[in-house]
Amino acid sequence: MRSSPVSRTRVAILISGRGSNMMSLLEAAKAPGFPAEIVTVISNRPDAQGLARAQAAGVPALGIDHKAYPNRESFDAALDAALREARVGIVCLAGFMRLLTPRFTESWSGRMINIHPALLPSFKGLHTHERALEAGVKIHGCTVHFVTAEMDVGPIIMQAAVPVLEGDTPERLGARVLTQEHVIYPAALRLVCEGRARIAGERVAVDEFEVATQALVVPGA
Ligand code: GRF
C-alpha cells in the first residue's frame, strides 16, 4: 500500500551571504516527511556564495540586486513579485542583510521567519557575539522568530542556548551558536509549516512539541 504524499509548503529562502543556514534548511527538506519544499533561494547580492551553493544543490536560485533599484520600496516590490511568481507560502530569512519595508513585512505577516544569532530580546542587530562577550553574559544563543516591521522583535518561535566559555572569542562563540542555528531553524520551520506554531498576540503558542526539560546553567555542574 502506498502512503499518501505529505502536503508540503512552498518555501523561499532569502540570503545575502554564505548560506550555511540555507544549507541546513535544504538538507532538512530532503527528508521525505519534512513539511516544506524549498522552491527558490533569492539573494539581494548576486555574488552571494549561498546562491552558488543553492544552484549546486539543484534549487532555483535568483539574484535580485538591490543596487539596481532606486529605493527600498521598488526593491521590495521586485522581491514580492518573485515570491508570488514562485507561489511561496513561507519565507525564511537566513542571513538576509537588508531591511524590509513595513509594507513588505505586513504583506508576509505570519508567513515570514528569521534566524537571529542571539537570545532575543537581548542583542538585536549586528555583532551579537562581540556584544555578548563585552556584556559578560554566561549564556548566549540563537532565536527563530516571526518577522514584523521592527527588526529582530517579532514573536519568538524557538531558541537554543549555548554556554559562553572562558577565553571565548567572537569567532569561537559564533561557531558554537551557528551549530545550534542549524538545529533550530529546520525544527522551527517544521513547526510553522505544520501549523503547530501559532501567533497569539506577541507570543507564539506551540502545540504538541517535546520540550527539553534540562535547564542549561552556566557556570554550573
Ligand atoms: C547567521 O548567523 C544568522 O543567524 C544571521 O546571519 C548569519 C548568516 O549565516 N542572521 P549563513 O549565511 O546562514 O551562514
Side-chain angles (χ1 to χ4, degrees):
M1 200 177 82
R2 275 198 318 198
S3 57
S4 56
V6 195
S7 121
R8 306 214 292 164
T9 305
R10 294 173 66 83
V11 168
I13 307 175
L14 306 190
I15 62 166
S16 298
R18 68 189 164 180
S20 73
N21 277 291
M22 171 203 79
M23 289 305 294
S24 77
L25 296 173
L26 293 183
E27 209 42 54
K30 282 187 193 163
F34 198 76
E37 177 189 4
I38 315 301
V39 294
T40 184
V41 171
I42 302 176
S43 174
N44 64 310
R45 294 184 181 278
D47 60 349
Q49 193 193 344
L51 273 189
R53 295 175 83 180
Q55 265 156 5
V59 177
L62 176 67
I64 303 181
D65 189 350
H66 66 269
K67 295 200 203 85
Y69 295 85
N71 50 38
R72 288 191 190 280
E73 287 70 23
S74 55
F75 170 73
D76 283 7
L79 193 55
D80 189 71
L83 294 171
R84 291 184 194 282
E85 164 90 27
R87 292 179 289 114
V88 162
I90 299 279
V91 178
C92 292
L93 307 185
F96 184 70
M97 306 302 284
R98 186 93 194 136
L99 288 177
L100 294 162
T101 55
R103 183 178 180 161
F104 185 92
T105 55
E106 269 149 37
S107 85
W108 288 93
S109 174
R111 297 185 298 145
M112 180 156 59
I113 62 178
N114 180 46
I115 180 109
H116 181 73
L119 290 173
L120 292 174
S122 292
F123 309 118
K124 297 169 188 145
L126 298 174
H127 310 300
T128 54
H129 311 312
E130 285 89 336
R131 287 159 54 213
L133 288 173
E134 273 162 25
V137 297
K138 299 299 184 205
I139 296 175
H140 186 44
C142 48
T143 303
V144 180
H145 65 97
F146 283 105
V147 175
T148 54
E150 206 179 333
M151 193 181 67
D152 301 332
V153 168
I156 292 170
I157 304 165
M158 194 178 285
Q159 296 185 302
V162 305
V164 178
L165 301 177
E166 231 18 80
D168 262 352
T169 59
E171 292 69 32
R172 278 183 52 182
L173 179 56
R176 196 174 303 124
V177 171
L178 191 65
T179 302
Q180 296 307 316
E181 293 184 37
H182 297 161
V183 172
I184 66 168
Y185 211 177
L189 177 60
R190 170 186 282 280
L191 286 183
V192 171
C193 290
E194 289 176 348
R196 291 156 74 198
R198 292 170 291 103
I199 301 177
E202 299 193 349
R203 305 179 55 185
V204 174
V206 176
D207 293 339
E208 296 169 38
F209 191 64
E210 311 72 35
V211 180
T213 51
Q214 228 176 11
L216 172 62
V217 179
V218 181

